[in-house]
Amino acid sequence: MKNTYKALEVSAPGVLRVVERQVSEPRAGQVRIRVEACGICHTDAATITAVYPGLTLPRVPGHEVVGRIEALGTGVSKWKIGQRVGVGLIAGEDGVCEPCRRGDTVNCENPVVSGVTADGGYAEVMIAEARAIASVPDELTSVEAAPLLCAGITTYNALRNAGLRGGDLVAVQGIGGLGHLGVQFARHMGFRTVAIGRGREKEKLARDLGAHVYIDSATENVAAVLQRMGGAKAILATGTSGDAMAPLVSGLSARGKLIIVGVPQDPIQLNAFPLVFGGRSIHGSLTGTAIDSEDTLAFSVLENIRPMIETVPLEKAADAYARMMQGKARFRMVLVTKEGVAQSAQPAA
Ligand SMILES: NC(=O)c1ccc[n+]([C@@H]2O[C@H](COP(=O)([O-])OP(=O)(O)OC[C@H]3O[C@@H](n4cnc5c(N)ncnc54)[C@H](OP(=O)(O)O)[C@@H]3O)[C@@H](O)[C@H]2O)c1
Ligand SMILES: [Zn+2]
Ligand SMILES: [Zn+2]
């Protein structure tokens, strides 16, 4: 086997270049993965522009990673060589901080973060912490599974942990990588599902993905439309604009929740009135743990939910990233390595 591998490295802010790296052995508690596919998440922009807190360069981005284990570090007993696994954003907790000691490992104060504190999946090879990898079911191809490990888990967890009941009115704002999966999860969890996008261009796709209703925020008053429908019990805000999130509060029912998963650069400027009168609330939700990833993958198999993807060879990562940033991806760009192409040509096991 070659002792070097290809990776896409951020060498300086805004510079994503192909490099050849030396294959290294996994340390204790780690595995080495031969990457097949890696989704391009909007959060990768925080690595590529070098604004993610705690980031040091050079760094390989990518936290929607699927591949096969090819080497085990000492002490790894749960996983086997050849097994197909996935890695998400939060890729290892320290186990000793207060959130960890309370069992809230996704909010670890000193986590391993793929593509930020450790090299991620824009590469042919990735080293991962064995405690933070997820098993990938045979029903999903690697390119299908990859986006579920961040865009999927983030929207699935946010919705399933929101205290909702079947039939509730639930809206998803922003129909991109996260949003197009959020719409599918909301529909398949049994909610009356509204998609909120800018313009009419994505309306048909949003309806095909399961939205009962589509609201065009460019021409309609979103809060007024939601209130005419009785008010949303939850709105999942996936967009990258704080200005677009703030007015959503007025579209909530009494006790409704605005769940923020998008991370805009601009502030969300809130009016206290609809929060106080009606007991509405707003809170954030951060992706999830490896076992949440396995739940997301299992639910996607159960309900036949798949990301809508465009695949590109690993070497074309910079072009694919640019397409995502321009809002042109429908809906997730997924990088595929030579290994990923070879594996997808094999008959299913
Ligand atoms: N909480 C978490 O754990 C977590 C996990 C992953 C990603 N994220 C964050 O979630 C956000 C979305 O990620 P993604 O991968 O889905 O990105 P994406 O595929 O690039 O989609 C971006 C979305 O933002 C919307 N948007 C952009 N500009 C907007 C504006 N001015 N007003 C309203 N909406 C606007 C777009 O809406 P249209 O559909 O109307 O074009 C689109 O749906 C990013 O901020 C990312 O960092 C958070
Ligand atoms: Zn992500
Ligand atoms: Zn911790």
Side-chain angles (χ1 to χ4, degrees), residues 42-43 173 237-246 260-269:
H42 206 102
T43 303
Q173 179 262 338
T238 81
T240 52
S241 159
D243 264 353
M245 287 180 181
I260 307 290
V261 289
V263 190
Q265 300 287 316
D266 59 321
I268 306 170
Q269 302 198 39

Side-chain angles (χ1 to χ4, degrees), residues 42-43 150 174-178 198 202 238 240 261 263 285 287 332:
H42 206 102
T43 303
C150 181
I175 311 304
L178 266 63
R198 295 169 301 161
K202 294 181 184 170
T238 81
T240 52
V261 289
V263 190
S285 182
T287 174
R332 202 47 139 196

